Amino acid sequence: MQNFSIHTTTEVVFGRAIEAEIGPRLRALGAQRVLVHFGGGSARASGLLDRVEASLTDAGLTFVELGGVSPNPKLSLVHEGIALCQREGVDWIVAVGGGSVIDSAKGIGMGVATGCDPWTFTTGQALPEATLPIATVLTLAASGSETSNSCVLTNEQTREKRGITSQTNRPRISFLDPENTFTVSKFQTGCGIVDIMMHTIERYLTPQGGESDLTDRLAEGLLIATRDAGRRAIADPCDYEARATLMWAGSVSHNDYTGCGRTRLFPVHKLEHELSAFRDEIAHGAGLSVLFPAWAQYEVERDVPRFAQLAHRVFGVEMDFAQPLRTAREGICTMKRFFEEIGMPVHLGELGIRPSDYQTLAANTLRAANGPVKSYSLLDEQAICAIYRLAE
Ligand code: NZQ
Ligand code: ZN
């Protein structure tokens, strides 16, 4: 096991109707004037926004609203939010929505508190050292942004999608009511299942870490629970226990617990972000669903024991001790079949990506990574195009 440090600072308030507590809890934390930030309409339509705002008002807090966050959240709205907060003297942000709304709120928070354009932090040369405190009311189990240290924004002018990883990005408090996810479509539920699984698998299938038995068992348990709850939530969107498992799994999968002692590289995410940047309509989870099986086929021979362990322990593939590569490969096929079963795409063509796009996409990926993408091998242009061909 490698040395590590872990500091997951977000307070999580979990369960039915807990958003009624948001006003009193934020007041106790010192909030006075709040930006309520939300997406394209689902939080308004479900009545959640009204409940959150009523709780704030009842607790004596005032607020201003900024809606309209789109999937793959855009830098221009972040700029608008920064100006609004400065004009209105906002001291807290409440993000009501999924990962896109939360990431947009994180961008606004760091912009206000540092006085810098958040985009300047995407190079990684300087990191934000301050933020406005952020509360989240999560409506979609997927990104883990409600507890994570990441913020992923899209610059629509340059068509670049970039992440900012900083301890200051962790929300101060997150309200997780599984009932708020009952209205999530089957497609977005599927995207969420894939994303939750990938946050743990990207920590599990890494070149370094040596023996990490506790981390492995936590990871495997999370993957099994997510797969099983995922099937149930797709079959019955109002299955509270299934939605609750997914919601908690989303947070635990990306708050770092399932990666302690192992290298964090996230190559499939790096490849995926370029797909969503290239075509804005590509949902993050759908891109991962297409790319993971192809990446795994490309890399499997570099770490047969771990791929085979995952296949056996999580996907129930019988261990072939004489030929573990067969077990490893069968595990990848089983995962791909599971993604298909829950309605996710597994071919680039399903995302509207054509072979003539490969070179551009690979070049964009290398530019974002400042060179070859670190994985088991170093993924250069040739390797990335080979992965695309495996994803056809
Ligand atoms: O905008 P509204 O109307 O709310 O609709 C959204 C949106 O169209 C809808 N939705 C959300 N909750 C709903 C609902 N519809 C009905 N009922 C509800 N309760 O779902 C659609 C997708 O929402 P979005 O927030 O984009 O999805 P997700 O939570 O998957 O977030 C994806 C974004 O997070 C980033 C991704 O790259 C992508 O930009 N990520 C952020 C991470 C982080 N900050 O730690 C890590 C991830 O790896 C990921 O990269
Ligand atoms: Zn993700």
Side-chain angles (χ1 to χ4, degrees):
M1 190 187 291
Q2 294 181 322
N3 293 0
F4 66 90
S5 87
I6 186 162
H7 190 195
T8 57
T9 48
T10 306
E11 179 180 358
V12 173
V13 186
F14 193 101
R16 283 191 172 94
I18 41 76
E19 60 272 5
E21 297 178 26
I22 190 165
R25 281 182 180 267
L26 260 58
R27 192 186 53 194
L29 290 168
Q32 291 183 336
R33 186 146 175 79
V34 172
L35 172 71
V36 178
H37 199 34
F38 53 95
S42 72
R44 177 84 74 200
S46 68
L48 173 62
L49 210 54
D50 290 339
R51 295 199 299 280
V52 168
E53 291 178 349
S55 175
L56 295 175
T57 305
D58 291 349
L61 306 183
T62 61
F63 64 86
V64 285
E65 285 186 346
L66 180 63
V69 179
S70 59
N72 303 320
K74 309 299 178 295
L75 185 63
S76 57
L77 193 73
V78 170
H79 289 158
E80 210 180 300
I82 293 169
L84 180 65
C85 289
Q86 287 165 338
R87 218 167 41 238
E88 294 284 342
V90 161
D91 54 23
W92 266 74
I93 304 176
V94 175
V96 184
S100 293
V101 175
I102 298 172
D103 285 357
S104 184
K106 289 178 178 181
I108 294 170
M110 74 176 77
V112 174
T114 63
C116 300
D117 182 340
W119 195 253
T120 59
F121 298 120
T122 59
T123 62
Q125 279 166 356
L127 283 177
E129 287 174 0
T131 182
L132 286 186
I134 290 168
T136 81
V137 182
L138 185 66
T139 64
L140 204 174
S143 69
S145 187
E146 66 278 9
T147 57
S148 82
N149 58 2
S150 307
C151 163
V152 186
L153 299 174
T154 294
N155 183 331
E156 62 270 54
Q157 282 186 338
T158 59
R159 294 179 73 185
E160 292 171 306
K161 184 171 178 177
R162 297 281 188 273
I164 303 161
T165 303
S166 158
Q167 184 62 17
T168 55
N169 279 337
R170 292 196 200 270
R172 173 69 187 76
I173 184 165
S174 283
F175 295 84
L176 273 54
D177 176 351
E179 288 189 351
N180 288 331
T181 65
F182 284 2
T183 52
V184 176
S185 66
K186 279 192 197 305
F187 176 71
Q188 285 296 342
T189 300
C191 289
I193 293 164
V194 173
D195 197 19
I196 293 168
M197 294 180 88
M198 286 311 304
H199 291 155
T200 284
I201 287 176
E202 293 245 58
R203 289 170 163 95
Y204 190 99
L205 295 174
T206 60
Q208 283 134 21
E211 204 177 296
S212 52
D213 199 37
L214 175 59
T215 297
D216 288 358
R217 303 280 178 181
L218 289 172
E220 290 153 6
L222 183 141
L223 291 169
I224 292 167
T226 302
R227 179 197 60 199
D228 295 351
R231 283 192 170 120
R232 285 170 55 190
I234 294 273
D236 175 6
C238 297
D239 181 330
Y240 180 86
E241 297 302 336
R243 290 290 196 184
T245 296
L246 288 183
M247 202 168 214
W248 186 222
S251 293
V252 176
S253 191
H254 205 29
N255 74 359
D256 288 338
Y257 272 101
T258 61
C260 291
R262 302 200 64 81
T263 314
R264 176 176 164 162
L265 297 177
F266 272 54
V268 186
H269 269 71
K270 288 184 180 138
L271 297 179
E272 194 295 308
H273 283 166
E274 294 313 313
L275 298 191
S276 318
F278 187 70
R279 291 181 78 99
D280 191 42
E281 63 275 23
I282 296 178
H284 173 60
L288 293 173
S289 173
V290 169
L291 289 172
F292 169 72
W295 169 86
Q297 283 176 61
Y298 185 83
E299 294 284 45
V300 61
E301 289 183 41
R302 296 179 199 272
D303 196 355
V304 174
R306 281 193 78 75
F307 277 86
Q309 178 177 294
L310 179 72
H312 174 63
R313 291 188 185 168
V314 174
F315 291 100
V317 180
E318 200 177 328
M319 183 62 83
D320 185 335
F321 290 100
Q323 295 185 68
L325 182 57
R326 284 174 64 165
T327 310
R329 289 214 164 106
E330 184 52 30
I332 298 166
C333 292
T334 309
M335 256 193 97
K336 191 170 172 177
R337 283 197 296 272
F338 172 68
F339 290 170
E340 286 180 300
E341 176 197 327
I342 61 170
M344 286 292 98
V346 290
H347 305 288
L348 279 173
E350 295 173 81
L351 302 177
I353 302 283
R354 295 177 305 260
S356 55
D357 300 323
Y358 294 175
Q359 272 202 317
T360 308
L361 281 167
N364 292 351
T365 308
L366 296 173
R367 199 175 66 229
N370 285 321
V373 175
K374 290 187 185 134
S375 176
Y376 280 103
S377 53
L378 279 176
L379 304 176
D380 58 12
E381 184 181 316
Q382 222 183 352
I384 293 170
C385 288
I387 291 171
Y388 294 151
R389 282 192 292 278
L390 287 166
E392 280 175 351

